[in-house]
Amino acid sequence: MATRLVQINMKAQDDSVLGRFWAEALGWGVDSEGPGVTNLEPVGFAYPDPAAVCIDIVARPEPKTVKNRVHLDLATTSTAHQAELVARLTDLGATLADVGQGNVPWTVMADPEGNEFCVLEPRPIYRDTGPIAAVVVDCTDPREMARFWGEAMDWTLHEVTDDHATMRSAKGVGPYLEFLRSPDTKSVWNRVHLDVCPYLGDDLAAEAARLRALGAADPGIDQSAISWTVLADPEGNEFCLLTPR
C-alpha cells in the first residue's frame, strides 16, 4: 500500500477570485465541484496523474495571519522568463514579499490573499516539471520528514541533508516535494496543506492505520461528515488522505 501527492489544498476568503489568479499564473483550467470550491488543473489533464500536482481552493472566512508553512515554487527557463513572469504575476495582483530571504536569486511574492510563493531563477533540475517546480514544506527536521513521507508515499527520495530533503514521483515527472529547515514553528492550522491519495482498490481505513503507525497523528477534529481522513504529519502539518482512486 502507498499514497501519492495529488493536490494542494489552499484556503481562501474568495476561492473564485484566488482561483482565477492561480489559473492565469499557471496557465491551467478552472472548474468547481461545488459552491466554495475552485479546482485547478492543466487543460486536458486526467486526474490523478503524477505529471501535475493540482490545486483545490476552498472558501474559509478566517484571514491569513502567519507565514504559510507550505508554498509553491514556480519554474522559469531563463532570467528573461523569470523577469517576465514576475511582471505578469504583478499585473495579475501578486505583490513582492519579504520573508527575511535577503539577497537571493529567486523572487519571493504573495498572491492576492497573501499566500507566499517563489519565482525561481532558472535551474536545470526543474526544466521538466511544468509551471510548478516544487511544493515546499517548512519544517524543523528535514530528515524526519523525509523518513515519514518517504514511507508514506511511493515517491523517490532524491536528497536528504540536515537542511533540506527532496522527493519526486517515481515516474520522474511533475513537481518535486521539498522539506526545508526553518526556525519558525507551527502555531495555527495550515491554510495550505497536502492532499494524498491511495491507489484504486486500496482500503482507506487500512491506509490511515498504516500512516498512523509511521508517525501520523489525528488532529482532534470531528470527521464524521467527510469521506476522507484528516491526519497530521510528525511536525503537526495537517494533510488529507483522500478516497482511493
Side-chain angles (χ1 to χ4, degrees):
M1 298 179 67
T3 64
R4 73 277 203 206
L5 179 61
V6 292
Q7 63 195 33
I8 302 304
N9 185 293
M10 184 181 299
K11 301 299 185 290
Q13 293 188 294
D14 191 326
D15 64 286
S16 61
V17 170
L18 194 61
R20 285 195 297 272
F21 168 83
W22 279 107
E24 291 287 342
L26 301 173
W28 285 7
V30 181
D31 200 354
S32 177
E33 62 193 66
V37 181
T38 298
N39 312 107
L40 307 177
E41 61 182 40
V43 176
F45 183 76
Y47 177 95
D49 186 300
V53 172
C54 301
I55 302 176
D56 272 9
I57 302 178
V58 180
R60 287 291 296 268
E62 302 88 355
K64 180 178 181 291
T65 58
V66 300
K67 177 180 175 290
N68 290 333
R69 295 189 67 75
V70 180
H71 73 263
L72 300 180
D73 280 355
L74 304 187
T76 63
T77 57
S78 66
T79 53
H81 180 211
Q82 182 185 15
E84 291 165 2
L85 182 55
V86 168
R88 185 169 69 82
L89 293 169
T90 301
D91 289 341
L92 290 173
T95 56
L96 298 178
D98 185 350
V99 295
Q101 70 268 24
N103 185 21
V104 294
W106 58 91
T107 303
V108 183
M109 305 190 79
D111 70 19
E113 290 212 4
N115 299 298
E116 303 85 4
F117 66 94
C118 297
V119 180
L120 301 181
E121 76 284 5
R123 302 182 193 181
I125 190 175
Y126 301 131
R127 67 183 180 275
D128 62 350
T129 61
I132 300 176
V135 179
V136 183
V137 182
D138 290 350
C139 63
T140 60
D141 189 346
R143 291 187 182 276
E144 172 59 12
M145 293 289 273
R147 192 278 311 167
F148 172 78
W149 285 104
E151 295 183 57
M153 301 198 302
D154 62 358
W155 282 27
T156 300
L157 191 61
H158 286 263
E159 185 178 12
V160 185
T161 72
D162 289 342
D163 293 321
H164 70 274
T166 302
M167 305 174 63
R168 196 185 191 191
S169 167
K171 294 185 177 180
V173 296
Y176 288 79
L177 176 62
E178 300 180 356
F179 302 99
L180 183 65
R181 181 181 291 278
S182 171
D184 301 327
T185 56
K186 185 176 184 293
S187 59
V188 299
W189 187 275
N190 287 351
R191 289 183 65 80
V192 182
H193 70 251
L194 310 181
D195 282 353
V196 299
C197 185
Y199 288 86
L200 189 65
D202 286 349
D203 181 83
L204 182 64
E207 184 60 20
R210 186 183 73 88
L211 294 175
R212 292 186 187 98
L214 293 175
D218 290 296
I221 61 172
D222 180 10
Q223 303 191 40
S224 60
I226 58 176
S227 59
W228 58 93
T229 300
V230 184
L231 295 167
D233 70 21
E235 293 210 359
N237 299 299
E238 302 84 12
F239 66 94
C240 290
L241 178 65
L242 306 181
T243 302
R245 58 181 301 171

PDB file of all heavy atoms in Angstrom, residues 135-170:
ATOM      1  N   VAL A 135       6.709  21.834  -4.509  1.00  0.00           N
ATOM      2  CA  VAL A 135       5.878  22.141  -3.354  1.00  0.00           C
ATOM      3  C   VAL A 135       6.806  22.079  -2.152  1.00  0.00           C
ATOM      4  O   VAL A 135       7.448  21.050  -1.912  1.00  0.00           O
ATOM      5  CB  VAL A 135       4.731  21.126  -3.205  1.00  0.00           C
ATOM      6  CG1 VAL A 135       3.889  21.456  -1.979  1.00  0.00           C
ATOM      7  CG2 VAL A 135       3.874  21.098  -4.464  1.00  0.00           C
ATOM      8  N   VAL A 136       6.907  23.182  -1.408  1.00  0.00           N
ATOM      9  CA  VAL A 136       7.902  23.302  -0.352  1.00  0.00           C
ATOM     10  C   VAL A 136       7.216  23.355   1.013  1.00  0.00           C
ATOM     11  O   VAL A 136       6.266  24.117   1.205  1.00  0.00           O
ATOM     12  CB  VAL A 136       8.770  24.559  -0.551  1.00  0.00           C
ATOM     13  CG1 VAL A 136       9.855  24.648   0.523  1.00  0.00           C
ATOM     14  CG2 VAL A 136       9.403  24.548  -1.939  1.00  0.00           C
ATOM     15  N   VAL A 137       7.709  22.537   1.941  1.00  0.00           N
ATOM     16  CA  VAL A 137       7.165  22.466   3.289  1.00  0.00           C
ATOM     17  C   VAL A 137       8.239  22.898   4.283  1.00  0.00           C
ATOM     18  O   VAL A 137       9.324  22.302   4.330  1.00  0.00           O
ATOM     19  CB  VAL A 137       6.696  21.039   3.627  1.00  0.00           C
ATOM     20  CG1 VAL A 137       6.079  20.987   5.028  1.00  0.00           C
ATOM     21  CG2 VAL A 137       5.699  20.528   2.588  1.00  0.00           C
ATOM     22  N   ASP A 138       7.968  23.932   5.063  1.00  0.00           N
ATOM     23  CA  ASP A 138       8.874  24.333   6.136  1.00  0.00           C
ATOM     24  C   ASP A 138       8.825  23.303   7.257  1.00  0.00           C
ATOM     25  O   ASP A 138       7.755  22.772   7.581  1.00  0.00           O
ATOM     26  CB  ASP A 138       8.473  25.698   6.708  1.00  0.00           C
ATOM     27  CG  ASP A 138       8.738  26.842   5.747  1.00  0.00           C
ATOM     28  OD1 ASP A 138       9.399  26.612   4.719  1.00  0.00           O
ATOM     29  OD2 ASP A 138       8.267  27.962   6.020  1.00  0.00           O
ATOM     30  N   CYS A 139       9.970  23.027   7.872  1.00  0.00           N
ATOM     31  CA  CYS A 139       9.999  22.052   8.953  1.00  0.00           C
ATOM     32  C   CYS A 139      11.214  22.282   9.830  1.00  0.00           C
ATOM     33  O   CYS A 139      12.122  23.033   9.475  1.00  0.00           O
ATOM     34  CB  CYS A 139      10.005  20.630   8.396  1.00  0.00           C
ATOM     35  SG  CYS A 139      11.455  20.235   7.392  1.00  0.00           S
ATOM     36  N   THR A 140      11.235  21.636  10.973  1.00  0.00           N
ATOM     37  CA  THR A 140      12.389  21.728  11.871  1.00  0.00           C
ATOM     38  C   THR A 140      13.365  20.581  11.656  1.00  0.00           C
ATOM     39  O   THR A 140      14.534  20.703  12.009  1.00  0.00           O
ATOM     40  CB  THR A 140      11.944  21.748  13.345  1.00  0.00           C
ATOM     41  OG1 THR A 140      11.218  20.538  13.628  1.00  0.00           O
ATOM     42  CG2 THR A 140      11.040  22.939  13.623  1.00  0.00           C
ATOM     43  N   ASP A 141      12.900  19.471  11.078  1.00  0.00           N
ATOM     44  CA  ASP A 141      13.751  18.293  10.905  1.00  0.00           C
ATOM     45  C   ASP A 141      13.501  17.658   9.537  1.00  0.00           C
ATOM     46  O   ASP A 141      12.672  16.757   9.408  1.00  0.00           O
ATOM     47  CB  ASP A 141      13.466  17.284  12.021  1.00  0.00           C
ATOM     48  CG  ASP A 141      14.452  16.130  12.033  1.00  0.00           C
ATOM     49  OD1 ASP A 141      15.197  15.958  11.043  1.00  0.00           O
ATOM     50  OD2 ASP A 141      14.476  15.379  13.033  1.00  0.00           O
ATOM     51  N   PRO A 142      14.217  18.121   8.494  1.00  0.00           N
ATOM     52  CA  PRO A 142      14.011  17.554   7.165  1.00  0.00           C
ATOM     53  C   PRO A 142      14.260  16.052   7.085  1.00  0.00           C
ATOM     54  O   PRO A 142      13.596  15.352   6.316  1.00  0.00           O
ATOM     55  CB  PRO A 142      15.016  18.326   6.294  1.00  0.00           C
ATOM     56  CG  PRO A 142      15.217  19.621   7.009  1.00  0.00           C
ATOM     57  CD  PRO A 142      15.148  19.268   8.466  1.00  0.00           C
ATOM     58  N   ARG A 143      15.186  15.545   7.881  1.00  0.00           N
ATOM     59  CA  ARG A 143      15.460  14.106   7.832  1.00  0.00           C
ATOM     60  C   ARG A 143      14.254  13.294   8.321  1.00  0.00           C
ATOM     61  O   ARG A 143      13.917  12.260   7.741  1.00  0.00           O
ATOM     62  CB  ARG A 143      16.700  13.777   8.656  1.00  0.00           C
ATOM     63  CG  ARG A 143      18.006  14.298   8.055  1.00  0.00           C
ATOM     64  CD  ARG A 143      19.216  13.799   8.807  1.00  0.00           C
ATOM     65  NE  ARG A 143      20.444  14.335   8.266  1.00  0.00           N
ATOM     66  CZ  ARG A 143      21.102  13.826   7.214  1.00  0.00           C
ATOM     67  NH1 ARG A 143      20.611  12.743   6.617  1.00  0.00           N
ATOM     68  NH2 ARG A 143      22.218  14.368   6.780  1.00  0.00           N
ATOM     69  N   GLU A 144      13.617  13.744   9.380  1.00  0.00           N
ATOM     70  CA  GLU A 144      12.458  13.021   9.889  1.00  0.00           C
ATOM     71  C   GLU A 144      11.280  13.142   8.934  1.00  0.00           C
ATOM     72  O   GLU A 144      10.532  12.178   8.729  1.00  0.00           O
ATOM     73  CB  GLU A 144      12.070  13.546  11.270  1.00  0.00           C
ATOM     74  CG  GLU A 144      10.752  13.013  11.827  1.00  0.00           C
ATOM     75  CD  GLU A 144      10.702  11.494  11.970  1.00  0.00           C
ATOM     76  OE1 GLU A 144      11.746  10.829  11.852  1.00  0.00           O
ATOM     77  OE2 GLU A 144       9.596  10.975  12.197  1.00  0.00           O
ATOM     78  N   MET A 145      11.131  14.314   8.325  1.00  0.00           N
ATOM     79  CA  MET A 145      10.053  14.483   7.349  1.00  0.00           C
ATOM     80  C   MET A 145      10.295  13.594   6.131  1.00  0.00           C
ATOM     81  O   MET A 145       9.362  12.990   5.592  1.00  0.00           O
ATOM     82  CB  MET A 145       9.942  15.943   6.937  1.00  0.00           C
ATOM     83  CG  MET A 145       9.469  16.854   8.063  1.00  0.00           C
ATOM     84  SD  MET A 145       7.727  16.609   8.481  1.00  0.00           S
ATOM     85  CE  MET A 145       6.985  17.735   7.307  1.00  0.00           C
ATOM     86  N   ALA A 146      11.556  13.485   5.711  1.00  0.00           N
ATOM     87  CA  ALA A 146      11.880  12.607   4.593  1.00  0.00           C
ATOM     88  C   ALA A 146      11.616  11.155   4.961  1.00  0.00           C
ATOM     89  O   ALA A 146      11.135  10.371   4.132  1.00  0.00           O
ATOM     90  CB  ALA A 146      13.337  12.799   4.182  1.00  0.00           C
ATOM     91  N   ARG A 147      11.923  10.786   6.207  1.00  0.00           N
ATOM     92  CA  ARG A 147      11.663   9.418   6.652  1.00  0.00           C
ATOM     93  C   ARG A 147      10.167   9.119   6.596  1.00  0.00           C
ATOM     94  O   ARG A 147       9.743   8.106   6.023  1.00  0.00           O
ATOM     95  CB  ARG A 147      12.199   9.257   8.071  1.00  0.00           C
ATOM     96  CG  ARG A 147      12.280   7.828   8.613  1.00  0.00           C
ATOM     97  CD  ARG A 147      11.000   7.277   9.152  1.00  0.00           C
ATOM     98  NE  ARG A 147      10.310   8.152  10.077  1.00  0.00           N
ATOM     99  CZ  ARG A 147       9.060   7.970  10.466  1.00  0.00           C
ATOM    100  NH1 ARG A 147       8.335   6.962   9.998  1.00  0.00           N
ATOM    101  NH2 ARG A 147       8.478   8.823  11.307  1.00  0.00           N
ATOM    102  N   PHE A 148       9.347  10.017   7.152  1.00  0.00           N
ATOM    103  CA  PHE A 148       7.908   9.777   7.183  1.00  0.00           C
ATOM    104  C   PHE A 148       7.314   9.763   5.780  1.00  0.00           C
ATOM    105  O   PHE A 148       6.646   8.806   5.380  1.00  0.00           O
ATOM    106  CB  PHE A 148       7.209  10.833   8.038  1.00  0.00           C
ATOM    107  CG  PHE A 148       5.706  10.753   7.953  1.00  0.00           C
ATOM    108  CD1 PHE A 148       5.012   9.790   8.659  1.00  0.00           C
ATOM    109  CD2 PHE A 148       4.979  11.626   7.145  1.00  0.00           C
ATOM    110  CE1 PHE A 148       3.624   9.687   8.574  1.00  0.00           C
ATOM    111  CE2 PHE A 148       3.595  11.543   7.054  1.00  0.00           C
ATOM    112  CZ  PHE A 148       2.919  10.563   7.776  1.00  0.00           C
ATOM    113  N   TRP A 149       7.538  10.838   5.017  1.00  0.00           N
ATOM    114  CA  TRP A 149       6.905  10.950   3.708  1.00  0.00           C
ATOM    115  C   TRP A 149       7.494   9.954   2.714  1.00  0.00           C
ATOM    116  O   TRP A 149       6.815   9.514   1.786  1.00  0.00           O
ATOM    117  CB  TRP A 149       6.996  12.381   3.194  1.00  0.00           C
ATOM    118  CG  TRP A 149       6.033  13.285   3.898  1.00  0.00           C
ATOM    119  CD1 TRP A 149       6.311  14.205   4.869  1.00  0.00           C
ATOM    120  CD2 TRP A 149       4.612  13.307   3.733  1.00  0.00           C
ATOM    121  NE1 TRP A 149       5.159  14.813   5.310  1.00  0.00           N
ATOM    122  CE2 TRP A 149       4.098  14.279   4.625  1.00  0.00           C
ATOM    123  CE3 TRP A 149       3.731  12.613   2.922  1.00  0.00           C
ATOM    124  CZ2 TRP A 149       2.743  14.566   4.721  1.00  0.00           C
ATOM    125  CZ3 TRP A 149       2.366  12.886   3.002  1.00  0.00           C
ATOM    126  CH2 TRP A 149       1.895  13.855   3.896  1.00  0.00           C
ATOM    127  N   GLY A 150       8.764   9.566   2.913  1.00  0.00           N
ATOM    128  CA  GLY A 150       9.354   8.558   2.051  1.00  0.00           C
ATOM    129  C   GLY A 150       8.697   7.200   2.227  1.00  0.00           C
ATOM    130  O   GLY A 150       8.613   6.407   1.281  1.00  0.00           O
ATOM    131  N   GLU A 151       8.216   6.903   3.434  1.00  0.00           N
ATOM    132  CA  GLU A 151       7.497   5.660   3.688  1.00  0.00           C
ATOM    133  C   GLU A 151       6.003   5.807   3.418  1.00  0.00           C
ATOM    134  O   GLU A 151       5.328   4.830   3.068  1.00  0.00           O
ATOM    135  CB  GLU A 151       7.722   5.209   5.126  1.00  0.00           C
ATOM    136  CG  GLU A 151       9.164   4.836   5.440  1.00  0.00           C
ATOM    137  CD  GLU A 151       9.328   4.338   6.859  1.00  0.00           C
ATOM    138  OE1 GLU A 151       8.648   3.365   7.228  1.00  0.00           O
ATOM    139  OE2 GLU A 151      10.145   4.919   7.603  1.00  0.00           O
ATOM    140  N   ALA A 152       5.485   7.016   3.580  1.00  0.00           N
ATOM    141  CA  ALA A 152       4.046   7.241   3.359  1.00  0.00           C
ATOM    142  C   ALA A 152       3.685   7.169   1.885  1.00  0.00           C
ATOM    143  O   ALA A 152       2.610   6.680   1.525  1.00  0.00           O
ATOM    144  CB  ALA A 152       3.640   8.602   3.923  1.00  0.00           C
ATOM    145  N   MET A 153       4.581   7.654   1.019  1.00  0.00           N
ATOM    146  CA  MET A 153       4.286   7.723  -0.413  1.00  0.00           C
ATOM    147  C   MET A 153       5.235   6.829  -1.195  1.00  0.00           C
ATOM    148  O   MET A 153       6.299   6.444  -0.702  1.00  0.00           O
ATOM    149  CB  MET A 153       4.422   9.163  -0.914  1.00  0.00           C
ATOM    150  CG  MET A 153       3.509  10.161  -0.218  1.00  0.00           C
ATOM    151  SD  MET A 153       3.312  11.691  -1.163  1.00  0.00           S
ATOM    152  CE  MET A 153       4.999  12.254  -1.303  1.00  0.00           C
ATOM    153  N   ASP A 154       4.866   6.543  -2.437  1.00  0.00           N
ATOM    154  CA  ASP A 154       5.739   5.751  -3.298  1.00  0.00           C
ATOM    155  C   ASP A 154       6.615   6.641  -4.177  1.00  0.00           C
ATOM    156  O   ASP A 154       7.082   6.234  -5.234  1.00  0.00           O
ATOM    157  CB  ASP A 154       4.922   4.777  -4.147  1.00  0.00           C
ATOM    158  CG  ASP A 154       3.941   5.475  -5.083  1.00  0.00           C
ATOM    159  OD1 ASP A 154       3.856   6.724  -5.056  1.00  0.00           O
ATOM    160  OD2 ASP A 154       3.243   4.768  -5.835  1.00  0.00           O
ATOM    161  N   TRP A 155       6.880   7.861  -3.707  1.00  0.00           N
ATOM    162  CA  TRP A 155       7.766   8.759  -4.425  1.00  0.00           C
ATOM    163  C   TRP A 155       9.225   8.415  -4.115  1.00  0.00           C
ATOM    164  O   TRP A 155       9.515   7.785  -3.099  1.00  0.00           O
ATOM    165  CB  TRP A 155       7.475  10.215  -4.050  1.00  0.00           C
ATOM    166  CG  TRP A 155       6.266  10.775  -4.735  1.00  0.00           C
ATOM    167  CD1 TRP A 155       5.178  10.088  -5.179  1.00  0.00           C
ATOM    168  CD2 TRP A 155       6.037  12.144  -5.055  1.00  0.00           C
ATOM    169  NE1 TRP A 155       4.268  10.946  -5.752  1.00  0.00           N
ATOM    170  CE2 TRP A 155       4.765  12.210  -5.686  1.00  0.00           C
ATOM    171  CE3 TRP A 155       6.750  13.324  -4.860  1.00  0.00           C
ATOM    172  CZ2 TRP A 155       4.226  13.405  -6.137  1.00  0.00           C
ATOM    173  CZ3 TRP A 155       6.209  14.518  -5.302  1.00  0.00           C
ATOM    174  CH2 TRP A 155       4.962  14.559  -5.945  1.00  0.00           C
ATOM    175  N   THR A 156      10.130   8.862  -4.981  1.00  0.00           N
ATOM    176  CA  THR A 156      11.558   8.586  -4.826  1.00  0.00           C
ATOM    177  C   THR A 156      12.236   9.708  -4.064  1.00  0.00           C
ATOM    178  O   THR A 156      12.059  10.887  -4.382  1.00  0.00           O
ATOM    179  CB  THR A 156      12.221   8.429  -6.213  1.00  0.00           C
ATOM    180  OG1 THR A 156      11.597   7.348  -6.907  1.00  0.00           O
ATOM    181  CG2 THR A 156      13.706   8.162  -6.073  1.00  0.00           C
ATOM    182  N   LEU A 157      13.006   9.336  -3.058  1.00  0.00           N
ATOM    183  CA  LEU A 157      13.769  10.307  -2.282  1.00  0.00           C
ATOM    184  C   LEU A 157      15.077  10.585  -3.010  1.00  0.00           C
ATOM    185  O   LEU A 157      15.872   9.673  -3.247  1.00  0.00           O
ATOM    186  CB  LEU A 157      14.032   9.749  -0.889  1.00  0.00           C
ATOM    187  CG  LEU A 157      14.590  10.693   0.163  1.00  0.00           C
ATOM    188  CD1 LEU A 157      13.641  11.854   0.414  1.00  0.00           C
ATOM    189  CD2 LEU A 157      14.843   9.921   1.457  1.00  0.00           C
ATOM    190  N   HIS A 158      15.304  11.848  -3.390  1.00  0.00           N
ATOM    191  CA  HIS A 158      16.478  12.211  -4.180  1.00  0.00           C
ATOM    192  C   HIS A 158      17.638  12.729  -3.342  1.00  0.00           C
ATOM    193  O   HIS A 158      18.799  12.468  -3.671  1.00  0.00           O
ATOM    194  CB  HIS A 158      16.098  13.266  -5.229  1.00  0.00           C
ATOM    195  CG  HIS A 158      15.319  12.722  -6.373  1.00  0.00           C
ATOM    196  ND1 HIS A 158      15.886  12.369  -7.579  1.00  0.00           N
ATOM    197  CD2 HIS A 158      13.997  12.435  -6.507  1.00  0.00           C
ATOM    198  CE1 HIS A 158      14.961  11.906  -8.405  1.00  0.00           C
ATOM    199  NE2 HIS A 158      13.799  11.943  -7.770  1.00  0.00           N
ATOM    200  N   GLU A 159      17.341  13.462  -2.281  1.00  0.00           N
ATOM    201  CA  GLU A 159      18.417  14.057  -1.486  1.00  0.00           C
ATOM    202  C   GLU A 159      17.917  14.321  -0.077  1.00  0.00           C
ATOM    203  O   GLU A 159      16.781  14.746   0.121  1.00  0.00           O
ATOM    204  CB  GLU A 159      18.891  15.370  -2.129  1.00  0.00           C
ATOM    205  CG  GLU A 159      20.085  15.998  -1.441  1.00  0.00           C
ATOM    206  CD  GLU A 159      20.572  17.269  -2.131  1.00  0.00           C
ATOM    207  OE1 GLU A 159      19.854  17.778  -3.010  1.00  0.00           O
ATOM    208  OE2 GLU A 159      21.665  17.733  -1.782  1.00  0.00           O
ATOM    209  N   VAL A 160      18.765  14.060   0.902  1.00  0.00           N
ATOM    210  CA  VAL A 160      18.439  14.341   2.298  1.00  0.00           C
ATOM    211  C   VAL A 160      19.675  14.912   2.988  1.00  0.00           C
ATOM    212  O   VAL A 160      20.750  14.309   2.947  1.00  0.00           O
ATOM    213  CB  VAL A 160      17.994  13.072   3.056  1.00  0.00           C
ATOM    214  CG1 VAL A 160      17.556  13.442   4.473  1.00  0.00           C
ATOM    215  CG2 VAL A 160      16.878  12.353   2.349  1.00  0.00           C
ATOM    216  N   THR A 161      19.535  16.079   3.591  1.00  0.00           N
ATOM    217  CA  THR A 161      20.584  16.670   4.422  1.00  0.00           C
ATOM    218  C   THR A 161      19.931  17.207   5.690  1.00  0.00           C
ATOM    219  O   THR A 161      18.718  17.100   5.867  1.00  0.00           O
ATOM    220  CB  THR A 161      21.311  17.820   3.691  1.00  0.00           C
ATOM    221  OG1 THR A 161      20.438  18.965   3.617  1.00  0.00           O
ATOM    222  CG2 THR A 161      21.724  17.418   2.276  1.00  0.00           C
ATOM    223  N   ASP A 162      20.728  17.794   6.562  1.00  0.00           N
ATOM    224  CA  ASP A 162      20.167  18.395   7.769  1.00  0.00           C
ATOM    225  C   ASP A 162      19.305  19.608   7.451  1.00  0.00           C
ATOM    226  O   ASP A 162      18.461  19.999   8.266  1.00  0.00           O
ATOM    227  CB  ASP A 162      21.293  18.816   8.721  1.00  0.00           C
ATOM    228  CG  ASP A 162      21.986  17.629   9.364  1.00  0.00           C
ATOM    229  OD1 ASP A 162      21.413  16.520   9.351  1.00  0.00           O
ATOM    230  OD2 ASP A 162      23.113  17.810   9.875  1.00  0.00           O
ATOM    231  N   ASP A 163      19.515  20.211   6.277  1.00  0.00           N
ATOM    232  CA  ASP A 163      18.814  21.450   5.942  1.00  0.00           C
ATOM    233  C   ASP A 163      17.656  21.276   4.968  1.00  0.00           C
ATOM    234  O   ASP A 163      16.751  22.097   4.939  1.00  0.00           O
ATOM    235  CB  ASP A 163      19.798  22.470   5.359  1.00  0.00           C
ATOM    236  CG  ASP A 163      20.804  22.939   6.386  1.00  0.00           C
ATOM    237  OD1 ASP A 163      20.420  23.131   7.552  1.00  0.00           O
ATOM    238  OD2 ASP A 163      21.984  23.087   6.013  1.00  0.00           O
ATOM    239  N   HIS A 164      17.685  20.227   4.159  1.00  0.00           N
ATOM    240  CA  HIS A 164      16.583  20.045   3.213  1.00  0.00           C
ATOM    241  C   HIS A 164      16.508  18.595   2.747  1.00  0.00           C
ATOM    242  O   HIS A 164      17.472  17.831   2.868  1.00  0.00           O
ATOM    243  CB  HIS A 164      16.728  20.982   2.006  1.00  0.00           C
ATOM    244  CG  HIS A 164      17.870  20.618   1.097  1.00  0.00           C
ATOM    245  ND1 HIS A 164      19.152  21.061   1.301  1.00  0.00           N
ATOM    246  CD2 HIS A 164      17.914  19.836  -0.024  1.00  0.00           C
ATOM    247  CE1 HIS A 164      19.947  20.587   0.361  1.00  0.00           C
ATOM    248  NE2 HIS A 164      19.220  19.839  -0.466  1.00  0.00           N
ATOM    249  N   ALA A 165      15.342  18.248   2.225  1.00  0.00           N
ATOM    250  CA  ALA A 165      15.132  16.934   1.626  1.00  0.00           C
ATOM    251  C   ALA A 165      14.263  17.115   0.387  1.00  0.00           C
ATOM    252  O   ALA A 165      13.402  18.001   0.347  1.00  0.00           O
ATOM    253  CB  ALA A 165      14.466  15.980   2.613  1.00  0.00           C
ATOM    254  N   THR A 166      14.482  16.266  -0.615  1.00  0.00           N
ATOM    255  CA  THR A 166      13.799  16.407  -1.890  1.00  0.00           C
ATOM    256  C   THR A 166      13.266  15.058  -2.360  1.00  0.00           C
ATOM    257  O   THR A 166      13.977  14.056  -2.331  1.00  0.00           O
ATOM    258  CB  THR A 166      14.760  16.966  -2.963  1.00  0.00           C
ATOM    259  OG1 THR A 166      15.267  18.224  -2.532  1.00  0.00           O
ATOM    260  CG2 THR A 166      14.055  17.145  -4.291  1.00  0.00           C
ATOM    261  N   MET A 167      11.992  15.045  -2.808  1.00  0.00           N
ATOM    262  CA  MET A 167      11.353  13.851  -3.338  1.00  0.00           C
ATOM    263  C   MET A 167      10.676  14.199  -4.662  1.00  0.00           C
ATOM    264  O   MET A 167      10.350  15.350  -4.916  1.00  0.00           O
ATOM    265  CB  MET A 167      10.280  13.334  -2.369  1.00  0.00           C
ATOM    266  CG  MET A 167      10.734  13.075  -0.976  1.00  0.00           C
ATOM    267  SD  MET A 167       9.333  12.644   0.098  1.00  0.00           S
ATOM    268  CE  MET A 167       8.793  11.113  -0.682  1.00  0.00           C
ATOM    269  N   ARG A 168      10.455  13.149  -5.472  1.00  0.00           N
ATOM    270  CA  ARG A 168       9.690  13.326  -6.713  1.00  0.00           C
ATOM    271  C   ARG A 168       9.002  12.009  -7.061  1.00  0.00           C
ATOM    272  O   ARG A 168       9.450  10.936  -6.631  1.00  0.00           O
ATOM    273  CB  ARG A 168      10.599  13.750  -7.859  1.00  0.00           C
ATOM    274  CG  ARG A 168       9.853  14.333  -9.062  1.00  0.00           C
ATOM    275  CD  ARG A 168      10.790  14.620 -10.206  1.00  0.00           C
ATOM    276  NE  ARG A 168      10.135  15.423 -11.252  1.00  0.00           N
ATOM    277  CZ  ARG A 168      10.647  15.637 -12.449  1.00  0.00           C
ATOM    278  NH1 ARG A 168      11.830  15.108 -12.777  1.00  0.00           N
ATOM    279  NH2 ARG A 168      10.002  16.367 -13.356  1.00  0.00           N
ATOM    280  N   SER A 169       7.950  12.090  -7.820  1.00  0.00           N
ATOM    281  CA  SER A 169       7.273  10.886  -8.271  1.00  0.00           C
ATOM    282  C   SER A 169       8.274   9.893  -8.850  1.00  0.00           C
ATOM    283  O   SER A 169       9.224  10.267  -9.551  1.00  0.00           O
ATOM    284  CB  SER A 169       6.231  11.230  -9.345  1.00  0.00           C
ATOM    285  OG  SER A 169       5.784  10.064 -10.012  1.00  0.00           O
ATOM    286  N   ALA A 170       8.064   8.616  -8.556  1.00  0.00           N
ATOM    287  CA  ALA A 170       8.955   7.581  -9.069  1.00  0.00           C
ATOM    288  C   ALA A 170       8.961   7.537 -10.588  1.00  0.00           C
ATOM    289  O   ALA A 170       9.889   6.980 -11.191  1.00  0.00           O
ATOM    290  CB  ALA A 170       8.542   6.225  -8.506  1.00  0.00           C
TER     291      ALA A 170
END
